[in-house]
């Protein structure tokens, strides 16, 4: 079945720096790659997603890139702010279906 | 995601007891999902349902059961067969078919005493 690996598990940056989180997936048929942000004790919130027919997508300070050949995708956050501190999860669709397989999460800490 | 509710927010259970977690959505979504989240781990799929009266096992279905009698409701029962049930349980829904975005409920934190 599909496997999604996520790195790093923790990431500490200074306010204003950029942060990059990377994920690799195993199933070449995966066609949808969302990113979720989860604050402590809260529900995961979809922040950005990308489909397999697109190489890059941007929304203000957040961008996602997809490399289908290498089977990896990344989340880029620019000009980080303390409120960006949270756990971020990547996910990918499983073979031929609507299941999502999640990475193990990255705890991002943005220090003022 | 405000259209998905879970209850209760906190739940305490004695060992050997079954307990049912509620998940309701008013988004008219066809698909619903149950995930388990443990500290330091990602979300693991327990069960999912694409249509009413049909559901499939996810990656960690042992010790759990579900039903999907109504489109808006997808309750999860944690049975006494689940060896380590203490966790944060999240319900999600999506519109179904080619619409892949999943929206999550607020979660239920289950603690076995």
């Amino acid at each position: 079945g599909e496997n999604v690996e996520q790195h790093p598990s923790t990431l500490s940056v200074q306010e204003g720096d950029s942060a990059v989180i990377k994920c690799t997936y195993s199933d070449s048929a995966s066609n949808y790659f969302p990113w979720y942000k989860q604050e402590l004790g809260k529900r995961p919130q979809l922040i950005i997603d990308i489909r397999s027919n697109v190489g890059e997508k941007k929304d203000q300070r957040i961008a996602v890139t997809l490399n289908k050949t290498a089977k990896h995708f990344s989340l880029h956050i620019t000009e980080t702010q303390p409120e960006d501190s949270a756990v971020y999860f990547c996910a990918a669709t499983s073979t031929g279906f609507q299941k999502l397989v999640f990475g193990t999460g990255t705890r991002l800490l943005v220090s003022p | 995601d405000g259209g998905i509710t879970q209850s209760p927010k906190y739940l305490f259970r004695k060992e050997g007891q079954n307990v049912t977690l509620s998940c309701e959505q008013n988004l008219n979504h066809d698909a619903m999902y149950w995930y388990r989240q443990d500290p330091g781990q990602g979300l693991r799929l327990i069960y999912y349902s694409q249509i009413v009266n049909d559901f499939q096992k996810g990656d960690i279905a042992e010790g759990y059961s579900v039903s999907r009698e109504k489109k808006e409701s997808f309750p999860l029962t944690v049975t006494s067969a689940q060896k380590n049930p203490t966790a944060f349980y999240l319900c999600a829904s999506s519109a179904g078919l080619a619409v892949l975005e999943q929206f999550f409920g607020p979660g239920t934190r289950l603690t076995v005493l």
Side-chain angles (χ1 to χ4, degrees):
Chain A
E2 172 74 290
N3 182 49
V4 176
E5 295 189 0
Q6 183 172 348
H7 300 281
S9 57
T10 58
L11 180 59
S12 294
V13 300
Q14 292 291 120
E15 183 176 2
D17 289 348
S18 295
V20 180
I21 302 171
K22 299 180 179 181
C23 289
T24 60
Y25 61 98
S26 60
D27 186 355
S28 57
S30 293
N31 60 356
Y32 174 68
F33 308 89
W35 286 89
Y36 286 85
K37 175 183 180 181
Q38 186 179 30
E39 298 177 357
L40 188 63
K42 302 273 184 78
R43 72 185 81 190
Q45 300 267 13
L46 180 69
I47 56 171
I48 196 168
D49 55 14
I50 192 168
R51 295 179 185 264
S52 57
N53 59 347
V54 176
E56 182 173 0
K57 184 177 179 181
K58 191 173 183 180
D59 183 4
Q60 300 182 343
R61 296 186 297 109
I62 294 173
V64 56
T65 58
L66 172 65
N67 183 327
K68 289 173 57 180
T69 302
K71 290 191 284 187
H72 67 71
F73 56 111
S74 300
L75 177 71
H76 304 254
I77 306 174
T78 58
E79 301 173 23
T80 54
Q81 302 167 3
E83 50 265 39
D84 293 330
S85 297
V87 179
Y88 292 81
F89 292 98
C90 64
T93 46
S94 67
T95 303
F97 208 66
Q98 285 188 310
K99 290 194 301 180
L100 288 178
V101 177
F102 285 81
T104 51
T106 295
R107 183 172 300 278
L108 174 64
L109 177 61
V110 182
S111 302
Chain B
D1 55 43
I4 304 176
T5 58
Q6 290 184 241
S7 61
K9 186 173 182 179
Y10 298 97
L11 188 57
F12 298 90
R13 188 196 93 175
K14 293 181 179 180
E15 283 192 25
Q17 288 182 336
N18 292 356
V19 62
T20 297
L21 283 58
S22 170
C23 178
E24 304 276 333
Q25 52 97 3
N26 62 3
L27 302 169
N28 199 33
H29 283 176
D30 286 319
M32 297 186 74
Y33 310 81
W34 273 106
Y35 293 91
R36 170 180 172 143
Q37 186 174 31
D38 295 284
Q41 298 192 33
L43 284 69
R44 293 184 291 169
L45 184 63
I46 304 172
Y47 269 97
Y48 59 101
S49 168
Q50 297 296 308
I51 56 173
V52 175
N53 293 322
D54 188 41
F55 48 82
Q56 286 78 42
K57 293 182 179 180
D59 300 318
I60 55 166
E62 184 176 353
Y64 300 98
S65 65
V66 293
S67 63
R68 187 83 188 276
E69 297 177 0
K70 299 186 295 183
K71 186 175 184 178
E72 58 270 22
S73 178
F74 191 41
L76 173 74
T77 296
V78 184
T79 75
S80 56
Q82 169 52 234
K83 298 304 179 187
N84 185 21
T86 295
F88 189 48
Y89 291 88
L90 287 159
C91 178
S93 70
S94 67
L97 296 177
V99 183
L100 301 173
E101 294 88 344
Q102 291 187 17
F103 300 94
F104 285 85
T108 292
R109 188 166 299 278
L110 173 64
T111 302
V112 174
L113 303 174

